[in-house]
């Protein structure tokens, strides 16, 4: 995995072939936000991101992601980890990780009084966080 994410050519080749589906969505969303909302993309490792809104977290769209205006490092690590998952799962990513992650996020958001397990307790969220930290050279001590 490390060889892929540290080799920019291979990383982008996989993102824009096997992981093309999410990158098409990401490209369209970014183009819209740049043109109509006058947002400026920023770079984080191999990913590009745009800050929008307040206190909501992030959304991975291939090698692109959206993040709240707080721009926390931990959220950037997590979303860049999802970008690695997009390389692995390719066209299956939205169905195995993306949609379940969004449903889980909204369920937790809409049921604030319910006791929820830790965010990274489900495999795809924990894996995204772990890989995002490791991609950035930080040992991750969570699940």
């Amino acid at each position: 995995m490390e060889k892929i994410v540290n080799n920019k050519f291979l990383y982008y080749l996989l993102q824009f072939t096997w992981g093309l589906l999410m990158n098409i969505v990401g490209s369209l969303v970014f183009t819209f936000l740049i043109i109509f909302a006058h947002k400026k993309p920023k770079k984080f490792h191999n990913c590009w991101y745009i800050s929008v809104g307040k206190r909501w977290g992030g959304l991975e769209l291939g090698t692109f992601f959206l993040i709240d205006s707080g721009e926390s490092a931990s959220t950037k690590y997590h979303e860049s980890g999802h970008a690695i998952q997009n390389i692995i799962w390719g066209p299956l990513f939205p169905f195995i990780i993306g949609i379940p992650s969004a449903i889980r996020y909204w369920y937790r958001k809409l049921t604030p009084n319910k006791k929820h397990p830790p965010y990274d307790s489900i495999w795809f969220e924990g894996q995204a966080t772990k890989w995002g930290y490791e991609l950035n050279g930080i040992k991750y001590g969570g699940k």
Side-chain angles (χ1 to χ4, degrees), residues 9-65:
F9 175 77
L10 188 55
Y11 175 85
Y12 289 118
L13 177 68
L14 290 170
Q15 280 289 2
F16 289 98
T17 54
W18 181 239
L20 183 62
L21 179 61
M22 291 305 295
N23 282 289
I24 289 172
V25 174
S27 297
L28 293 171
V29 169
F30 263 52
T31 300
F32 178 86
L33 289 172
I34 290 166
I35 293 172
F36 297 107
H38 308 288
K39 297 290 184 178
K40 302 248 188 258
K42 299 173 188 169
K43 191 138 171 71
F44 184 77
H45 203 270
N46 291 336
C47 298
W48 291 93
Y49 72 95
I50 290 179
S51 299
V52 290
K54 294 180 182 171
R55 296 193 321 228
W56 63 274
L59 173 67
E60 194 276 334
L61 302 166
T63 197
F64 307 96
F65 64 86

Side-chain angles (χ1 to χ4, degrees), residues 43 53 58 67 79 119 121 128:
K43 191 138 171 71
I67 189 172
E79 296 307 324
Y119 193 78
S121 64

